[in-house]
Amino acid sequence: MDTMLAGRFHLDSRKFLVEEVPVPVPGPGEVLVEVKAAGVCLSDVHLIDGTLPPLFATSEAVTVGHEISGVIHTLGHGLKRGLTVGARVTLEAGQSCEQCDDCARRRPCAQVRTRGIDYDGGWAQYTIAREDTLIPIPDNLPFDQASIIPDAVSTSYAAVVATAGVRPAQAVGVWGVGGVGAHNVRIARLVGAAPIIAVDPLPGARERALAFGADIALDPSADDFADQVRTATAGRGLDFAFDCAGVPAVREQAAAVLGLDGALILVGITPRPLTVSEGLTFNYLRKQVRGHYGGSPESVYELVRLASNGRLDLAPSITDHIPLADAPEAIHRLEHKIGDPIRLILVP
């Protein structure tokens, strides 16, 4: 086992290649994980198309992939957690820089590096993980479902539970019912939001939103869109509007239908400026805008417990399984929404 297959993005040439590379060796405090499943996220597509450049890259090429599950294959030296070879794990999507200990202390860090963007990720047969970023998964949680919990599910979970703090019976709107938005709907349902209004221009995405627990699914281009929201909320407007698309026009539309003390939660990311053109009523109704980014270690642990105890079935989120060698096909399918995927899973 000297080499392995890996999906690598070369920063200098901006090319993505599936190629043979040396199998990495775990250092102190690290383990080598044999990858069993790796999710394909829109962030991966944005890395490759250049709209999400790495901020803390340390090499000219990076193995893509931040949604990973597998088994521990090799232990490095100096481990503190009593990890064992063969243990089933999922991996946190990011870690703080090695110059501080913020990740281990569960403190916010302005320099969190993302796995598969700033340093090597899991579109490979094997990947290195620092021991404090490993989260055990039980035998009854399939690898494909476990792999998407960090990011695809934890981003939505943290947005709903922590950033927004949605309570039962609060009205919620979710714009963009893709990989993150679909889970935003499911988590909102889980915590008791009512009504849940899904908003997406694609009929297939609206149908999926209803299947995932939305009460109403609306086309954002409808002439009477705002009236439909007011009717669904008995004239109150939304308590929370989640922008899972990262589109400026979405933010304008969502902010306009917030009710008293309503908050716009920015879940989707975009480099374009944030603008809200609404005037006096934004102040009068005490509306808010809250930024959000990714999940948290706590959210991943909690979601593993929810999924393994039958509170959250993630099987409907898995659209297809694709061999690692065909990673370019997976990128193409997600970028062009072929088959309207929620999550495609690469299998080494």
Side-chain angles (χ1 to χ4, degrees):
M1 189 183 70
D2 297 323
T3 64
M4 66 176 185
L5 203 61
R8 304 271 288 171
F9 178 62
H10 295 260
L11 278 64
D12 51 355
S13 64
R14 298 171 63 89
K15 290 184 178 180
F16 174 79
L17 301 172
V18 179
E19 54 193 359
E20 289 283 339
V21 298
V23 174
V25 177
E30 297 178 334
V31 303
L32 181 68
V33 174
E34 181 182 356
V35 178
K36 296 295 186 180
V40 182
C41 175
L42 199 57
S43 296
D44 302 321
V45 174
H46 290 331
L47 168 68
I48 294 167
D49 69 19
T51 58
L52 183 62
L55 298 178
F56 308 109
T58 57
S59 63
E60 290 302 317
V62 63
T63 299
V64 182
H66 56 274
E67 297 180 348
I68 310 155
S69 68
V71 297
I72 296 177
H73 184 276
T74 306
L75 303 176
H77 298 291
L79 299 176
K80 302 176 182 179
R81 291 180 54 187
L83 300 172
T84 58
V85 171
R88 305 172 86 251
V89 293
T90 189
L91 282 58
E92 292 178 16
Q95 64 184 34
S96 63
C97 64
E98 296 176 356
Q99 297 175 350
C100 71
D101 198 28
D102 281 347
C103 264
R105 297 176 184 275
R106 299 295 190 253
R107 295 189 306 219
C109 177
Q111 295 188 12
V112 171
R113 300 187 302 152
T114 302
R115 191 185 307 275
I117 294 178
D118 298 305
Y119 63 101
D120 284 346
W123 286 12
Q125 292 173 284
Y126 298 90
T127 189
I128 293 289
R130 221 167 61 189
E131 66 171 326
D132 57 293
T133 66
L134 296 172
I135 296 174
I137 56 174
D139 291 342
N140 69 340
L141 183 58
F143 286 115
D144 54 0
Q145 296 179 38
S147 71
I148 68 171
I149 287 178
D151 196 31
V153 190
S154 66
T155 292
S156 300
Y157 182 84
V160 171
V161 174
T163 300
V166 177
R167 301 190 306 275
Q170 288 188 306
V172 163
V174 179
W175 273 255
V177 194
V180 171
H183 295 113
N184 218 112
V185 169
R186 294 201 67 184
I187 299 302
R189 183 84 178 193
L190 186 67
V191 302
I196 300 169
I197 302 173
V199 185
D200 200 292
L202 299 177
R206 295 197 295 271
E207 292 176 10
R208 177 172 63 220
L210 294 172
F212 271 38
D215 298 291
I216 303 168
L218 301 180
D219 184 340
S221 65
D223 292 337
D224 62 343
F225 175 82
D227 290 335
Q228 291 186 68
V229 173
R230 279 191 289 270
T231 299
T233 59
R236 300 189 315 273
L238 297 175
D239 294 295
F240 296 100
F242 294 88
D243 169 25
C244 296
V247 176
V250 162
R251 297 172 174 186
E252 290 278 4
Q253 184 180 57
V257 292
L258 290 171
L260 182 65
D261 294 320
L264 169 62
I265 313 298
L266 308 180
V267 183
I269 57 176
T270 174
R272 299 176 66 182
L274 168 66
T275 60
V276 176
S277 61
E278 186 178 6
L280 179 61
T281 55
F282 194 92
N283 301 73
Y284 180 69
L285 294 177
R286 301 195 300 266
K287 297 181 182 182
Q288 305 170 44
V289 179
R290 302 179 192 173
H292 178 80
Y293 185 76
S296 67
E298 290 78 11
S299 64
V300 177
Y301 277 100
E302 290 168 9
L303 284 163
V304 166
R305 289 199 295 272
L306 287 167
S308 61
N309 282 282
R311 299 298 190 273
L312 184 64
D313 179 14
L314 295 175
S317 299
I318 309 301
T319 304
D320 200 359
H321 299 82
I322 300 172
L324 173 61
D326 296 329
E329 175 194 343
I331 295 168
H332 177 76
R333 285 176 60 177
L334 181 58
E335 183 177 16
H336 297 281
K337 301 187 187 308
I338 298 173
D340 198 17
I342 301 177
R343 264 304 182 268
L344 301 171
I345 301 296
L346 294 177
V347 181

